[in-house]
């Protein structure tokens, strides 16, 4: 079975704890921003940064839903946030 990119940096427990929006962020960062993830992992800041960003995304998601957006509409705004950093070359 092929290893997922996030498995290089996170345990299953850490990954699951991020929630759906945070897991989307972890998937993107670890797959498309590997240099950044490697540096943050070495500095010990990757997991706390992912957790902080995951919480912010979750709060934003709730705000969007409470403002009257439907789930699929809110998810588009979440994706915009997740994919905002350009891929590394």
């Amino acid at each position: 079975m092929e290893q997922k990119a996030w498995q290089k940096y996170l345990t299953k427990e850490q990954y699951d704890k991020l929630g759906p929006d945070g897991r989307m962020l972890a998937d993107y960062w670890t797959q498309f921003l590997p240099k950044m993830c490697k540096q943050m992992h070495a500095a010990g800041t990757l997991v706390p940064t992912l957790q902080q960003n995951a919480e912010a995304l979750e709060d934003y998601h709730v705000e969007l839903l409470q403002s009257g957006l439907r789930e699929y509409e809110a998810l588009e705004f979440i994706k915009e946030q997740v994919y905002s950093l350009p891929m590394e070359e």
Side-chain angles (χ1 to χ4, degrees):
M1 188 164 125
E2 188 176 329
Q3 184 181 38
K4 302 280 186 191
W6 62 265
Q7 290 175 314
K8 295 175 187 172
Y9 307 104
L10 303 166
T11 65
K12 175 91 167 105
E13 183 181 339
Q14 290 169 326
Y15 182 76
D16 289 344
K17 193 174 180 181
L18 293 174
D21 298 334
R23 287 191 295 269
M24 186 187 324
L25 184 67
D27 290 340
Y28 180 75
W29 280 15
T30 57
Q31 184 172 358
F32 297 108
L33 303 166
K35 294 174 194 167
M36 180 186 83
C37 288
K38 186 176 182 179
Q39 291 171 342
M40 292 177 75
H41 184 70
T45 59
L46 180 61
V47 172
T49 302
L50 280 170
Q51 289 170 335
Q52 183 178 19
N53 281 278
E55 289 174 17
L57 282 172
E58 186 176 321
D59 291 345
Y60 183 47
H61 200 149
V62 169
E63 285 178 33
L64 291 169
L65 293 173
Q66 289 175 343
S67 75
L69 292 180
R70 296 174 190 226
E71 178 62 33
Y72 72 91
E73 294 169 321
L75 193 54
E76 289 303 313
F77 284 96
I78 296 301
K79 288 178 181 179
E80 187 176 296
Q81 293 293 311
V82 167
Y83 305 129
S84 64
L85 290 175
M87 291 186 263
E88 294 173 349
E89 295 183 13

